[in-house]
Amino acid sequence: MKTIKAHCMVILATILIAGSFLASNNLTGTVNPISLTLLRFVIATLCLAPVVLFTPRFRKQIIRVLPRCMVISFFYSGYFICLFEALKTTTVLNTGTLYTLTPFITTVLCIFLFKMKVGLVQFFAYILGAIGTLWVVFNGSLNSLLSLSLTQGDLIFMLGVCSMCGYTIVMKLLYRKDNVIVLTFCTLLGGTLWMTIATVAMDIPLQWDLLQGNALLSMVYLAIGATLLTSYLYQKASIALNPSSVTAYIYMSPACVALLTFLIHGESISTVILFGIALSAIATLFLQIMNVRNSHKSAH
């Protein structure tokens, strides 16, 4: 039951992150993305601060938990910094394509760090998931995929992909039976500190006063829905699941974006896209089943 609950948490987090793509679209061109990411962390941290700071048993844990969370948030913030730096010289399509490597790279790292065993069938499931995700990203166009060319920005984003892999792995490695609320708060606080350093180092103006109306509502969603809640859900789920199980749901991210776009904006989903979504869903389900079996084998 604990494992099923953890899977449900990651699925909810995947949906919330998919919603962040739509919300981010409302903020395009208003304020520097790194400044927006800093604001996301600031709002999320301030929302959770009263719960932690006014609860004595939570407050006592901060000093013990914060150093480890600074490491966790370093990888989390590093992903965003690499993403926005990469987008100066590459495209959203390229980053979306390279992001599909995250589950596979995470699994390779888990093989070395957690002695996780991956069979040939499971390896092909990762390839199937990547194909399904790429199918959605490129709208089923093989010509678009073949015309993909890598730039310096893509190499920078690959560091971001590795940083995201590191984020899911260090959450597992550094967990010490901490209270998840305190863990989430310290991770968000750490993210705020790292993004502040990045903002100052890159001499980026804040310009938060430019956010008004729908842009402000979108920022609130990004801060609370796609940052605070997802951080809590990932921290909670990572206690019960291995990192490869968590990142396997990334294959469902483009499908969730397509579904939310349909529900919110009424944009239809073509049969070609549905095929890619089906491939991603099958691969994700298969990988989760294989991860559960491998976990049971390791336990015995």
Side-chain angles (χ1 to χ4, degrees):
M1 182 59 71
K2 186 179 179 181
T3 303
I4 294 173
K5 188 177 179 181
H7 280 289
C8 290
M9 287 180 176
V10 182
I11 290 170
L12 177 56
T14 303
I15 294 169
L16 288 170
I17 289 172
S20 73
F21 286 95
L22 303 184
S24 296
N25 193 47
N26 294 331
L27 297 167
T28 303
T30 52
V31 179
N32 186 287
I34 289 183
S35 173
L36 289 175
T37 306
L38 171 59
L39 182 57
R40 283 173 66 170
F41 278 112
V42 169
I43 295 173
T45 304
L46 290 176
C47 285
L48 198 55
V51 178
V52 176
L53 298 179
F54 294 122
T55 306
R57 63 188 179 92
F58 288 169
R59 193 171 60 244
K60 290 177 183 177
Q61 297 177 41
I62 293 175
I63 295 175
R64 175 170 55 85
V65 174
L66 186 58
R68 282 180 281 121
C69 285
M70 286 299 291
V71 178
I72 295 171
S73 60
F74 172 79
F75 287 99
Y76 191 35
S77 305
Y79 166 74
F80 290 110
I81 293 169
C82 289
L83 170 62
F84 298 132
E85 189 63 27
L87 286 172
K88 292 178 181 178
T89 53
T90 190
T91 64
V92 173
L93 195 61
N94 281 32
T95 56
T97 303
L98 294 172
Y99 195 58
T100 63
L101 295 171
T102 306
F104 179 73
I105 294 173
T106 303
T107 301
V108 171
L109 292 173
C110 285
I111 292 171
F112 292 102
L113 294 172
F114 303 109
K115 308 300 180 185
M116 194 178 83
K117 294 181 179 179
V118 178
L120 188 62
V121 177
Q122 192 172 356
F123 175 77
F124 280 114
Y126 279 105
I127 294 175
L128 180 66
I131 290 171
T133 307
L134 291 172
W135 193 280
V136 177
V137 170
F138 286 96
N139 292 309
S141 172
L142 183 61
N143 289 333
S144 297
L145 177 59
L146 293 175
S147 64
L148 178 71
S149 58
L150 299 180
T151 65
Q152 183 181 354
D154 296 316
L155 296 176
I156 294 171
F157 185 67
M158 277 306 300
L159 288 176
V161 169
C162 292
S163 192
M164 181 54 74
C165 296
Y167 168 62
T168 55
I169 288 172
V170 294
M171 275 197 293
K172 189 75 173 179
L173 284 173
L174 299 180
Y175 177 68
R176 301 289 185 272
K177 295 184 178 180
D178 309 296
N179 182 282
V180 180
I181 293 176
V182 178
L183 203 61
T184 303
F185 171 73
C186 289
T187 300
L188 294 172
L189 179 60
T192 301
L193 294 173
W194 288 121
M195 292 309 300
T196 299
I197 292 170
T199 303
V200 172
M202 297 180 184
D203 194 25
I204 294 168
L206 295 180
Q207 297 180 311
W208 294 346
D209 57 302
L210 297 178
L211 297 175
Q212 297 177 359
N214 288 335
L216 192 58
L217 290 174
S218 295
M219 176 49 65
V220 170
Y221 172 80
L222 288 173
I224 298 174
T227 306
L228 194 160
L229 287 178
T230 56
S231 182
Y232 174 82
L233 292 168
Y234 278 134
Q235 298 273 13
K236 189 81 172 174
S238 293
I239 297 170
L241 303 177
N242 61 48
S244 61
S245 289
V246 175
T247 54
Y249 283 105
I250 285 174
Y251 289 140
M252 292 305 301
S253 185
C256 291
V257 172
L259 182 60
L260 288 175
T261 303
F262 169 72
L263 294 173
I264 297 172
H265 299 298
E267 293 182 18
S268 60
I269 305 173
S270 66
T271 307
V272 174
I273 297 299
L274 286 173
F275 176 72
I277 290 173
L279 286 179
S280 298
I282 292 169
T284 303
L285 180 61
F286 183 79
L287 285 170
Q288 299 304 345
I289 292 170
M290 292 297 291
N291 281 324
V292 170
R293 285 181 179 176
N294 289 337
S295 297
H296 285 316
K297 286 180 181 178
S298 300
H300 295 294

